[in-house]
Amino acid sequence: MPASHATEIRNDWTREEVLALFKQPFNDLLFQAQVAHRQHFNANEVQLSTLLSIKTGACPEDCKYCPQSARYDTGLEKEQLLALEQVIEEAKAARDSGATRFCMGAAWRSPKDKDLPAVAEMVRQVKALGMETCMTLGMLKEEQAHMLAEAGLDYYNHNLDTSPEYYGEIITTRTYQDRLNTLDNVRRAGMKVCAGGIVGMGEGEKDRAGLLMQLANLPQHPESVPINMLVKVAGTPLDQQEDLDPFEFIRTIAVARILMPKSHVRLSAGREEMNDQMQALAFMAGANSIFYCEKLLTTPNPKANRDMELLNRLGIKPETRHVERDSEEEEQALRQALAEAKSDHLFYNAAN
């Protein structure tokens, strides 16, 4: 595909077209991704998010990559839903470290209705800090999605994980359609979608193409697309999986950027195992969002953190959050501005 067409917004990609992108010479692919990226984003800004587990372990699902599954012995200690006060303290620390989005995850197959009021209050309190909010709680029913939307949740994360064809090799306790249904419920409730997948789980290039094609052919592209590199955890069925070629990971980032040019593409799990050069290539390929590691929550000077050091070396700055106001807020702001103008001695009464 010529670079001039790299910024088209499409929802009708074919497997052959996506595979053709993957098979381009590496430099050509990165150039095309750069064209798409710069059309819609500042190429030297990265959105910073922080992820907090608000309920850890004991998940009944059998996702072969996940240490939180109750089916695998990974040494993970189970934890109940965190208290609201603890979540807010973590959110404040993340905000003070430079994160603009606070993501909260619970190891549930799907949330119980009795838990929704507590997580909805977490959303309200975190938003009151001036941060964007994101949650990942498993599958959502339509009414649950609406309850979270009413609380003000900005994003809901629910990954497709891999292609429909390879999905059964990784998960058997929920279907691909279950995942698509949750994404549909999130959209219908008016929230933004965060959906991506994991590479390096033994899938082939066709499966990586299939995953990205599924995401790009949704009726509306996800606003956030996390691309995760498998983190091999002892005790999970994938703990001995062969490493994916780093260049294949970068190709996946670049193709995601081309297919979904207006989406934030997040360099997500597995970053701790990547060297600085690989991460720099990912940013060049169009990644423009990262998860801050949890250590930042206790680091007094974030500039000393590896993440900030790398961004500084690359000349990349944290993306500034632009808070959107609703019509009522806009009207209140306008009235305040007018009141201030009337009292300002620099203004005069034009009727005189």
Side-chain angles (χ1 to χ4, degrees):
M1 177 191 296
S4 60
H5 297 300
T7 60
E8 282 187 63
I9 306 300
R10 293 178 50 189
N11 306 83
D12 60 351
W13 293 91
T14 67
R15 184 73 63 97
E16 291 72 23
E17 288 177 307
V18 180
L19 280 171
L21 291 173
F22 270 96
K23 293 184 181 303
Q24 285 191 96
F26 189 73
N27 286 343
D28 291 348
L29 176 60
L30 261 62
F31 175 73
Q32 187 172 339
Q34 273 277 302
V35 171
H37 186 62
R38 290 172 181 271
Q39 182 70 27
H40 300 285
F41 294 97
N42 183 329
N44 296 306
E45 288 186 352
V46 168
Q47 189 272 326
L48 304 180
S49 296
T50 293
L51 175 63
L52 174 69
S53 177
I54 59 173
K55 185 270 177 186
T56 304
C59 180
E61 303 279 21
D62 69 350
C63 308
K64 290 184 178 179
Y65 54 80
C66 186
Q68 301 207 59
S69 172
R71 299 165 185 255
Y72 313 131
D73 182 11
T74 61
L76 187 72
E77 294 186 11
K78 305 172 187 177
E79 296 179 1
Q80 297 300 313
L81 188 66
L82 293 182
L84 175 63
E85 294 76 13
Q86 185 174 353
V87 173
I88 302 310
E89 286 305 310
E90 296 282 7
K92 288 178 180 177
R95 180 195 61 186
D96 294 345
S97 293
T100 58
R101 187 179 306 163
F102 193 69
C103 306
M104 295 161 273
W108 287 321
R109 173 177 168 80
S110 58
K112 294 182 173 62
D113 289 341
K114 67 179 180 63
D115 293 315
L116 261 295
V119 296
E121 185 59 27
M122 292 177 187
V123 171
R124 285 187 283 267
Q125 295 277 353
V126 173
K127 281 188 72 70
L129 299 176
M131 303 185 77
E132 285 185 317
T133 53
C134 179
M135 280 195 162
T136 178
L137 312 172
M139 295 182 290
L140 281 187
K141 296 181 288 188
E142 186 174 353
E143 57 271 23
Q144 292 176 324
H146 279 284
M147 184 174 180
L148 290 173
E150 289 170 4
L153 185 64
D154 296 296
Y155 288 81
Y156 192 81
N157 166 259
H158 199 65
N159 290 334
L160 296 183
D161 284 354
T162 188
S163 69
E165 296 80 9
Y166 195 67
Y167 185 80
E169 299 294 320
I170 303 298
I171 304 156
T172 66
T173 48
R174 76 173 78 169
T175 68
Y176 212 79
Q177 189 59 49
D178 288 334
R179 292 182 180 269
L180 293 173
N181 290 344
T182 289
L183 295 183
D184 187 53
N185 288 336
V186 170
R187 278 287 182 218
R188 289 175 179 272
M191 291 182 288
K192 295 176 182 178
V193 167
C194 176
I198 307 171
V199 298
M201 298 189 293
E203 78 288 339
E205 187 178 71
K206 288 184 178 180
D207 296 305
R208 292 189 284 279
L211 165 66
L212 297 182
M213 185 182 73
Q214 284 287 321
L215 293 167
N217 286 348
L218 290 170
Q220 183 177 345
H221 292 168
E223 285 81 1
S224 182
V225 181
I227 304 298
N228 300 273
M229 177 77 85
L230 174 68
V231 177
K232 292 176 279 189
V233 179
T236 63
L238 295 179
D239 65 349
Q240 298 299 314
Q241 179 61 47
E242 184 178 348
D243 290 343
L244 181 69
D245 182 342
F247 291 121
E248 290 304 310
F249 181 82
I250 301 300
R251 285 181 181 275
T252 305
I253 294 283
V255 174
R257 169 52 63 212
I258 294 166
L259 299 187
M260 295 166 280
K262 288 188 175 182
S263 304
H264 277 87
V265 176
R266 178 176 297 144
L267 181 58
S268 201
R271 215 162 44 85
E272 293 78 7
E273 305 303 319
M274 300 176 192
N275 61 25
D276 291 348
Q277 292 82 356
M278 184 175 175
Q279 292 191 62
L281 273 179
F283 295 135
M284 184 178 293
N288 64 336
S289 178
I290 61 172
F291 270 135
Y292 255 160
C293 59
E294 290 186 0
K295 291 181 180 179
L296 278 174
L297 299 179
T298 58
T299 302
N301 182 6
K303 290 184 179 179
N305 178 268
R306 176 190 169 192
D307 293 333
M308 295 307 297
E309 286 182 347
L310 176 60
L311 294 180
N312 286 335
R313 288 165 62 198
L314 298 176
I316 295 175
K317 297 179 180 179
E319 182 181 278
T320 301
R321 184 191 172 201
H322 300 286
V323 180
E324 296 180 1
R325 293 170 170 170
D326 59 28
S327 57
E328 183 177 346
E329 289 174 325
E330 290 283 3
E331 184 177 351
Q332 290 176 349
L334 180 59
R335 286 177 178 173
Q336 182 178 351
L338 288 173
E340 292 173 352
K342 287 179 180 178
S343 63
D344 195 321
H345 72 276
L346 295 177
F347 283 79
Y348 67 97
N349 189 343
N352 290 340

